[in-house]
Amino acid sequence: MILGIDVGGTHTDAVLVENYQVRKKAKVLTDNSNIMASLLAASQNISLQENLKNIKRIVLSTTISTNAIVQNKIDRVGMVLLSGPGLSPATLKSSTDSFYVSGYINHRGIEIKPVIEQEIKDTGEYFRNENIQKIGIVGKFSTRNPQQELSVAKILRNNNRQFSLGHRLSGHLNFPRRIATAYLNAAIDRIYNDFVREVGLFLREIGANIPVYILKADGGTILIDQSISYPVQTIHSGPAASIMGVLATTAIKEDAVALDIGGTTTDISVFADGAPLLEASGVTINGNKTLIRGLYTKSIGVGGDSIICIKNGEILVGPLRDGPAAAFGGTYPTLTDAIIVLGMAALGNPQKAIAAIQPLAAQLKTDIISLSQSILDKAIAVITSNVRKVLSAINNQPVYTIHELLEGKTIRPQSVYVVGGPAAAMAPSVARSLGYPYHIPEHSEVTNALGAALARTTAEVTVLADTEKEVLTISEEGIFRKIPHTFSSAQAIEAGKEALKQRVLRMGASIDDLEMEVTEVQEFNMIREFYTTGKNIRAKIQIKPGLISACNIG
Amino acid sequence: MKNKTRKTGLIFFPAFDWAISETHPEREERLLYTQDQVLEEGLLDLDNIREFKPGIATYEDINRAHICVPDAQSITTQSHLISAGGAITAAQKVLTKEVDNAFALVRPPGHHAMLVAHGARGFCNINIEAVMIEYIRKNFGIKKIAVVDTDCHHGDGTQDIYWNDPDVLCISMHQDGHTLYPDTGFINDFGGPNALGATINIPLPPKTSDEGFLHVLDHVILPILDDFRPEIIINSAGQDNHYSDPITDMCFSAHGYALLNEKLAPHIAVLEGGYSIEKALPYVNVGIILAMAGLDYSAVREPDYDPDKIRQSMDITRFIESESQEIILMWNDRYNMKAKIVGSAGYVRRSKSIYYDTDGIREKQMETVRVCNDCGGLVMIESAADTGKKIFAVILPGTCCPECRRNGEMFFERLSGGQYNHIYFQDREKDVFIVK
Ligand SMILES: [Zn+2]
Ligand SMILES: [Zn+2]
C-alpha cells in the first residue's frame, strides 16, 4: 500500500492506494499553523493505524514552498554573483544584499578572471554584520566549471551559514534564471525545513518507520531527507500532483491535453505519447523565471468562481474572482451559477444562482437560460482558444538542426482529460470544440494525493565532455573531472547514465524505475585553423515523469 | 540608458547538423558558443526579445533573385532553404509589425552568391538577403531598400544582383580587395549605367579598428542613407571584421559592432560571415542583439579586449578620412556621371570572369544592359561555365518601363535553344519566371 497526501492551502487530502486502486480517501481542512494536525486528521479519516504495517511508502505534495514565495514569507538572502561580461548587471533584478564580484568562467568552462579572496571576505563581513545566514553563490557558466562557486563557498564557510550553489540546482544555461533559482532555494530554506520537521513529528506520532517522499515540480518524487538542501524543487508541487493524478487515473498513452478547471483558474497541461510535457526552460513562480524543472502548465483566468460581467454588451468570464458562487452564498454571479441555472449540476442553492444571473439577463434583454448558455459557451471558447494557442506555441518551438526542423515531433492530441468541479458540465462542449473525445477521470476530488502516491522518482543530468580540454562536467552532480582525448559520445552517455543512476537511487528511486531517456546528444568537431583539435560533446539524460512500476505497488 | 527599448525578433538557426566539409570554417560548431552565450545571458527571457522558428524558402522565392543553373533545386540543400527562410521570417515579423526589428542568426551565409548561380562561391550558394528582398518587394509593396554589408569581405554577390537596380542601394564596407577575397569592391564600382550610386563600395585598409569603421558610418553611410531615404534598411551582419577572426586582418570589436548597429538601426540584420567562433561571435552577437533591442550593451566585452592593442595607426585614420570625402563627392555627382560614362550608347556591355572557389567552377559572363532613363533597364546575360553549361537570361527590373519590357519580351521570344542549355526569363516586376 501507498499513502498519498496532498497538503493544499485549503484542504488536505489523503488516499490509500493498493495495486493502482484507491482503497480509502479523505479530505480535511488544512490548519496552516499546524501542518502535523492536518496530516493526523487526514490519516485518521482513512484508518491509517489499521493499515500502517502494509504501507510501503508515503508521498506528500505540498504548497508550502509555493505559498512561502507567493506570500513573501521568505528569509533575507545574501547573493554573491560572478558575472563577467555580458548583459549589464543593472538589467538584472537584484537587492542590496546582492554583490557582483570579480571572477569569470567563459562558455568553454575556462577561468578567465580569478576570484579575489579579500573581496569575498569583505562580502562575508557584510553578511555577518547584517546577520544574513542564507547565501546564494552563482557564477556565469558555473555549470561548465563549478570551481569558482566552490571556492567562494569555501572562503565564506562557517557553522551558521547555508549555501545555495547555482551549478547544483540545474545543468541548464541561463544566468539570470540560475540567480533566481539559487535565491529562492536559499530564501525558503528555513520554512521548508520547519515543514520537514513537522512531517518527522507526524511520523513519530503515528509510530511509522516508512520512507517519506515529497513531490517535485516535475512530477517526480524525492526522499524527504534528500530534499532539504534543494527545497526549491518542491515549488509547484500542487499542479504537478494534479497532472500526475490524471496520469494515475487514466491510461494515457497518446498525445493528449488535460484541463484542471478549478475555482479561479483552468490549468492546461499537455501529454506527448502519454508523458506529461516539461517547461522548456523552467518554472516561473510569482514572476520569477527559474531553472527548476517543472511540468508544463498554462493557467488561464477562467474557473468555476470566475465573476461574470457585461462590458459593452459582451459577456466576460473572469479573470476576477471574489469568494464562492452565488449559489454557495457568494456576492457575484459566476460560471458555476450559470451551470446550475442550466441544470447541469445539482449543487448549492439554485434560487440564489438564478437571482444572481437574472439582472444580467435583464441588462442584455434575454432570458436566464439563454444567457447561462452564452456564459458557458464563452468560458468554453476562452478555454479552447487557449488550448489551441498552447499547442501552436509548443509545436512552433524553435529547433536548431535541419533534422528536427523537417522531421521534429508535432503534438496532435487524441483526447482531452478534464478534472475539477465544472468538469462534467463543460467537458462535452470543450471536446466538441477541440474535435477530440473527452474523459473525466475517477476520484477527481483526490487527484493530487493519488498523483503524488504513484509518481516515480525523476531527475536529469547534463553532460559536457570537452576532449580538447580533456574535461567532463556533470553539473547537477558536481562532477568535474579529467577525461582522455579519445573520450567518445558513447562514453559521455555512459558516464551520464551512471551519474543519473547514482542520483536517483540517492533520491529514493526503486531499482525497477530506472528507465532512462537520452533527450539530447550532440557531438561537435572542434576545428581550429582547419585542424580538428577535439570534440565538444553535449548530452542530457533524464528519467522522465511517470508512474512507479507494478513491482513497487504494495 | 540612452535608448528606448525596441521589440526585437530573433531567428536563430545554427544548423547544428550541417557543414560544407569536415574541417571547413563554415561548420556545425560555428554558432555553438554564440548559442551558449545567448542562452546563458537569458536574452530569450527578456520581455522585448522574441525567438521565432525559421520558415523554409521555396524554389519560387529563389527564382525571384537568381538565375540558378540548371535550376534552384540542383544548387541548394535544405540548409540553404532554411537559412533563406529564416531571413524571410525576419522580414515577415518586422513588416507585419509583430516586432520593431529582427536579427536572422542563420547559416549558411549568402552574400557572395551572384545573380547567375552555377554553384557555391565564398561559402555561399544562394544570396539569402536577395531572396528576402525579392520576397519583401513581392509581398509588402516596398520599393526602396538599402543593404549595408558590414562583413569583412566585399558583398560582391548582393552587388551583382542589384548592380542595375536604382531602387536597391548596396553599401559594402570591407577589407580592401587587394588584400582579401574576393579581390573586388573598389570605390569606382558604383553601379550599372541606370543605377549609378546605388552601389557604394568602401574598401578599408587592413588593421582598421573601431574608429575607422565608425568614421565611415558617420561620414559616408549615414549621410548617403539620409539622401536615399530607403523604406527599410538591411544589415548584412558579417562578423569577420573582428580582431580575432582567423581568416581576415581587421581590428573591429564587439563593442564597435554593437555601436555600429545602434547607429545604423537596421530593420533587419542577417548574419553573414565570422569565423572567430569562440573569441568573437558570442560577444559580437550578444552585443548586436542588445543594441537592436535598445538595451545596455556596455558590459559586453571580449575577455581579452584591449583597445590600445588593436588601435589603428594615424596613417589608416588619414586614409579613411580622405577616402570618405572622395566617396561623398562621387555620391553627390552621381546624376552627372551617366552622360560621361554612357555617352550615346543604347546598350552597355560588361564581361566578367567568376570563380566559384567553394565548388571549383569557372564561369564567363557577358552582361548587356539597355540604357534607359525610365527604369533600371532590361538586362541580358550570357553565361558559360566550365561545367559545360551555357545559358542565356533575360531580366526585367523590379520597376520596368514599357520600352524595356517590349524589348525584353521580344528577345526572349526570338531566342531559341541551339547553343544554350537553358534560356531564362525573369520578370521581377510581374513576378514571372520562365525557363525554356
Ligand atoms: Zn566574410
Ligand atoms: Zn526602361
Side-chain angles (χ1 to χ4, degrees):
Chain A
M1 266 185 197
I2 300 169
L3 169 61
I5 304 178
D6 176 50
V7 188
T10 318
H11 292 111
T12 295
D13 302 339
V15 287
L16 263 184
V17 185
E18 187 175 28
N19 199 19
Y20 293 109
Q21 301 299 314
V22 174
R23 292 292 173 226
K24 292 210 183 279
K25 54 187 176 186
K27 193 182 262 302
V28 301
L29 285 171
T30 301
D31 179 351
N32 282 301
S33 62
N34 191 346
I35 296 292
M36 188 181 73
S38 311
L39 294 171
L40 282 172
S43 315
Q44 268 157 18
N45 288 7
I46 52 166
S47 339
L48 182 63
Q49 288 304 338
E50 296 161 30
N51 295 298
L52 201 55
K53 61 181 183 310
N54 295 322
I55 293 177
K56 296 257 176 62
R57 68 176 204 159
I58 299 174
V59 190
L60 301 167
S61 72
T62 167
T63 52
I64 202 98
S65 303
T66 304
N67 288 347
I69 293 167
V70 173
Q71 295 161 10
N72 208 25
K73 290 180 188 158
I74 51 177
D75 286 334
R76 213 171 144 184
V77 178
M79 296 294 289
V80 182
L81 306 167
L82 306 114
S83 149
L87 197 62
S88 162
T91 314
L92 301 170
K93 265 193 226 169
S94 60
S95 76
T96 49
D97 299 332
S98 300
F99 293 87
Y100 283 89
V101 299
S102 302
Y104 176 50
I105 302 279
N106 79 355
H107 47 80
R108 283 282 300 284
I110 298 167
E111 179 174 83
I112 301 291
K113 284 210 176 93
V115 169
I116 298 171
E117 187 167 350
Q118 192 53 49
E119 190 183 14
I120 305 300
K121 282 185 171 158
D122 293 346
T123 311
E125 201 54 37
Y126 171 87
F127 295 153
R128 188 190 331 277
N129 293 336
E130 296 288 318
N131 197 25
I132 294 171
Q133 284 160 0
K134 309 294 179 193
I135 293 165
I137 303 168
V138 184
K140 193 174 279 182
F141 287 114
S142 64
T143 57
R144 296 280 160 90
N145 177 349
Q147 300 299 339
Q148 290 195 338
E149 284 184 2
L150 293 169
S151 43
V152 171
K154 200 170 161 197
I155 297 166
L156 291 176
R157 182 150 298 153
N158 77 25
N159 291 337
N160 299 322
R161 286 180 179 153
Q162 289 288 328
F163 295 99
S164 287
L165 303 190
H167 73 277
R168 294 308 292 266
L169 296 164
S170 166
H172 292 228
L173 294 179
N174 195 320
F175 182 55
R177 282 181 183 256
R178 191 175 309 121
I179 294 173
T181 309
Y183 168 79
L184 292 175
N185 194 58
I188 62 171
D189 183 82
R190 184 182 46 81
I191 205 162
Y192 183 77
N193 279 287
D194 288 348
F195 167 77
V196 172
R197 255 190 303 282
E198 296 253 341
V199 173
L201 293 175
F202 161 70
L203 287 181
R204 203 166 334 142
E205 190 71 29
I206 61 173
N209 185 16
I210 305 167
V212 178
Y213 293 80
I214 289 281
L215 194 74
K216 299 178 294 157
D218 70 351
T221 55
I222 180 170
L223 279 172
I224 201 163
D225 303 338
Q226 292 292 319
S227 72
I228 52 176
S229 298
Y230 306 108
V232 77
Q233 297 179 86
T234 66
I235 63 166
H236 279 209
S237 176
S242 159
I243 295 168
M244 295 312 292
V246 170
L247 200 60
T249 46
T250 60
I252 305 184
K253 293 270 183 289
E254 73 283 17
D255 288 355
V257 170
L259 301 175
D260 183 347
I261 308 176
T264 316
T265 61
T266 294
D267 295 341
I268 302 169
S269 54
V270 180
F271 294 77
D273 297 324
L277 286 191
L278 293 156
E279 291 280 1
S281 313
V283 166
T284 298
I285 180 161
N286 215 26
N288 298 290
K289 290 175 175 168
T290 75
L291 283 174
I292 299 153
R293 220 170 110 89
L295 297 185
Y296 175 89
T297 53
K298 157 115 193 215
S299 253
I300 54 171
V302 172
D305 299 339
S306 292
I307 296 175
I308 311 299
C309 65
I310 312 284
K311 209 170 189 181
N312 304 326
E314 204 194 330
I315 300 164
L316 297 180
V317 183
L320 287 183
R321 168 210 174 152
D322 189 358
F328 292 94
T331 322
Y332 301 98
T334 65
L335 176 59
T336 299
D337 293 315
I339 289 170
I340 293 169
V341 169
L342 288 170
M344 298 173 91
L347 296 169
N349 181 340
Q351 291 315 312
K352 284 189 180 167
I354 290 169
I357 298 284
Q358 186 67 59
L360 299 181
Q363 197 182 331
L364 286 176
K365 302 191 173 56
T366 181
D367 60 283
I368 53 163
I369 298 290
S370 310
L371 176 62
S372 295
Q373 189 60 51
S374 301
I375 291 168
L376 187 60
D377 291 348
K378 174 74 194 206
I380 287 162
V382 173
I383 291 170
T384 54
S385 86
N386 274 283
V387 168
R388 289 195 188 91
K389 262 191 237 165
V390 160
L391 292 169
S392 152
I394 291 169
N395 286 332
N396 283 301
Q397 261 168 15
V399 293
Y400 303 115
T401 59
I402 295 164
H403 176 78
E404 285 173 287
L405 189 75
L406 300 177
E407 286 154 52
K409 156 122 182 131
T410 307
I411 306 274
R412 292 194 183 83
Q414 307 294 309
S415 12
V416 54
Y417 294 84
V418 190
V419 298
M426 298 179 72
S429 306
V430 166
R432 208 174 312 122
S433 166
L434 290 173
Y436 30 89
Y438 69 91
H439 304 278
I440 298 177
E442 275 185 288
H443 307 297
S444 75
E445 73 284 14
V446 289
T447 307
N448 288 21
L450 185 56
L454 292 173
R456 69 176 166 223
T457 300
T458 56
E460 181 187 52
V461 292
T462 310
V463 184
L464 174 69
D466 185 328
T467 71
E468 188 190 60
K469 274 193 328 166
E470 304 186 341
V471 171
L472 172 78
T473 318
I474 302 176
S475 174
E476 297 90 341
E477 281 293 279
I479 293 171
F480 184 70
R481 69 171 158 85
K482 204 163 161 48
I483 49 168
H485 194 72
T486 54
F487 203 75
S488 67
S489 290
Q491 285 171 296
I493 290 169
E494 199 183 320
K497 284 185 168 173
E498 183 54 33
L500 180 58
K501 182 179 164 188
Q502 295 307 325
R503 184 174 179 81
V504 289
L505 288 177
R506 204 169 60 238
M507 288 165 68
S510 150
I511 198 83
D512 305 305
D513 284 321
L514 299 182
E515 188 196 325
M516 296 185 192
E517 182 185 43
V518 179
T519 50
E520 193 183 307
V521 56
Q522 293 174 303
E523 179 185 305
F524 295 89
N525 284 326
M526 303 181 69
I527 296 154
R528 300 295 174 269
E529 316 283 341
F530 296 93
Y531 291 100
T532 305
T533 55
K535 282 186 160 64
N536 197 298
I537 301 164
R538 289 144 183 231
K540 287 196 170 83
I541 307 162
Q542 69 161 346
I543 291 180
K544 66 181 172 193
L547 304 182
I548 50 176
S549 55
C551 7
N552 300 307
I553 300 289
Chain B
M1 244 173 285
K2 289 173 283 187
N3 279 317
K4 185 173 144 277
T5 61
R6 286 176 294 269
K7 222 173 173 186
T8 296
L10 196 60
I11 294 87
F12 186 66
F13 194 75
F16 284 148
D17 48 356
W18 186 84
I20 286 182
S21 68
E22 196 149 318
T23 55
H24 197 283
E26 190 49 62
R27 59 194 188 270
E28 296 92 338
E29 186 196 6
R30 192 174 153 224
L31 293 177
L32 184 62
Y33 311 106
T34 290
Q35 184 193 41
D36 286 348
Q37 197 79 35
V38 168
L39 292 180
E40 179 68 352
E41 299 294 350
L43 298 188
L44 301 178
D45 282 334
L46 297 174
D47 292 335
N48 59 324
I49 295 181
R50 262 192 78 188
E51 189 183 12
F52 299 98
K53 197 174 180 173
I56 301 175
T58 62
Y59 298 124
E60 216 181 356
D61 293 328
I62 296 170
N63 288 336
R64 278 189 206 109
H66 286 288
I67 305 292
C68 297
V69 184
D71 52 40
Q73 199 156 354
S74 309
I75 65 157
T76 55
T77 64
Q78 289 296 342
S79 65
H80 302 105
L81 299 182
I82 299 169
S83 83
I88 287 175
T89 303
Q92 284 170 334
K93 300 298 173 190
V94 172
L95 291 166
T96 57
K97 301 205 158 43
E98 246 185 273
V99 292
D100 299 320
N101 55 29
F103 186 10
L105 252 169
V106 296
R107 57 180 286 271
H111 76 148
H112 295 306
M114 296 190 166
L115 177 51
V116 176
H118 286 269
R121 57 188 303 276
F123 317 167
C124 304
N125 294 47
I126 54 166
N127 193 304
I128 60 178
E129 286 92 340
V131 171
M132 173 181 80
I133 288 169
E134 294 310 315
Y135 182 91
I136 291 172
R137 296 220 275 202
K138 173 173 184 286
N139 291 283
F140 295 97
I142 282 174
K143 199 176 163 200
K144 292 186 90 178
I145 295 172
V147 182
V148 179
D149 189 318
T150 52
D151 189 277
C152 189
H153 300 89
H154 174 219
D156 57 346
T158 318
Q159 166 176 308
D160 185 65
I161 293 172
Y162 295 108
W163 182 254
N164 293 299
D165 192 332
D167 295 325
V168 178
L169 171 64
C170 292
I171 303 177
S172 178
M173 64 194 314
H174 45 260
Q175 186 177 326
D176 185 353
H178 294 300
T179 59
L180 188 70
Y181 178 90
D183 315 327
T184 54
F186 302 102
I187 62 173
N188 292 328
D189 300 327
F190 204 59
N194 307 315
L196 288 163
T199 295
I200 301 285
N201 280 296
I202 312 163
L204 298 168
K207 308 283 182 212
T208 296
S209 64
D210 291 14
E211 203 185 333
F213 284 95
L214 295 165
H215 180 88
V216 164
L217 180 72
D218 290 336
H219 296 89
V220 181
I221 298 177
L222 294 179
I224 289 178
L225 287 172
D226 278 349
D227 283 351
F228 184 76
R229 297 190 174 279
E231 291 161 80
I232 61 169
I233 298 173
I234 295 156
N235 180 204
S236 281
Q239 305 178 349
D240 38 11
N241 281 305
H242 193 266
Y243 62 82
S244 66
D245 198 275
I247 65 176
T248 62
D249 196 15
M250 298 299 248
C251 291
F252 208 22
S253 72
H255 186 261
Y257 264 110
L259 182 57
L260 178 143
N261 186 282
E262 182 185 1
K263 289 183 160 198
L264 183 63
H267 298 90
I268 303 162
V270 178
L271 179 69
E272 280 295 335
Y275 301 94
S276 173
I277 66 169
E278 270 195 62
K279 290 184 173 156
L281 264 56
Y283 309 100
V284 174
N285 283 311
V286 167
I288 291 178
I289 294 167
L290 291 178
M292 288 187 87
L295 296 167
D296 182 359
Y297 55 81
S298 60
V300 179
R301 290 263 184 247
E302 305 84 341
D304 63 352
Y305 177 69
D306 178 354
D308 293 333
K309 252 176 150 169
I310 55 172
R311 184 161 290 129
Q312 69 192 35
S313 68
M314 285 304 293
D315 282 352
I316 291 178
T317 304
R318 276 191 293 273
F319 175 86
I320 291 175
E321 284 172 2
S322 100
E323 184 182 71
S324 299
Q325 283 172 2
E326 196 178 343
I327 294 169
I328 285 295
L329 288 174
M330 286 174 69
W331 168 256
N332 291 337
D333 194 40
R334 65 193 180 282
Y335 297 123
N336 303 323
M337 277 182 187
K338 189 164 177 175
K340 277 182 253 169
I341 292 173
V342 177
S344 61
Y347 285 86
V348 171
R349 285 198 152 163
R350 62 171 180 157
S351 64
K352 288 185 281 183
S353 295
I354 298 159
Y355 179 56
Y356 293 71
D357 57 309
T358 308
D359 278 354
I361 299 170
R362 282 178 199 283
E363 178 200 0
K364 284 216 173 302
Q365 257 190 38
M366 178 66 79
E367 181 192 273
T368 309
V369 183
R370 182 175 182 272
V371 177
C372 181
N373 289 323
D374 302 320
C375 76
L378 162 68
V379 176
M380 289 174 291
I381 297 173
E382 185 185 73
S383 153
D386 61 2
T387 54
K389 298 238 165 49
K390 190 173 181 188
I391 62 107
F392 196 91
V394 175
I395 297 151
L396 304 187
T399 310
C400 186
C401 75
E403 200 50 33
C404 285
R405 173 169 296 283
R406 195 164 44 244
N407 278 289
E409 286 170 351
M410 183 188 71
F411 279 118
F412 184 65
E413 186 81 23
R414 285 189 192 167
L415 282 158
S416 60
Q419 53 171 324
Y420 302 113
N421 296 85
H422 298 287
I423 300 166
Y424 301 80
F425 180 74
Q426 186 186 60
D427 179 349
R428 291 191 189 167
E429 187 181 54
K430 293 194 175 167
D431 192 28
V432 172
F433 184 76
I434 307 169
V435 187
K436 68 177 184 185

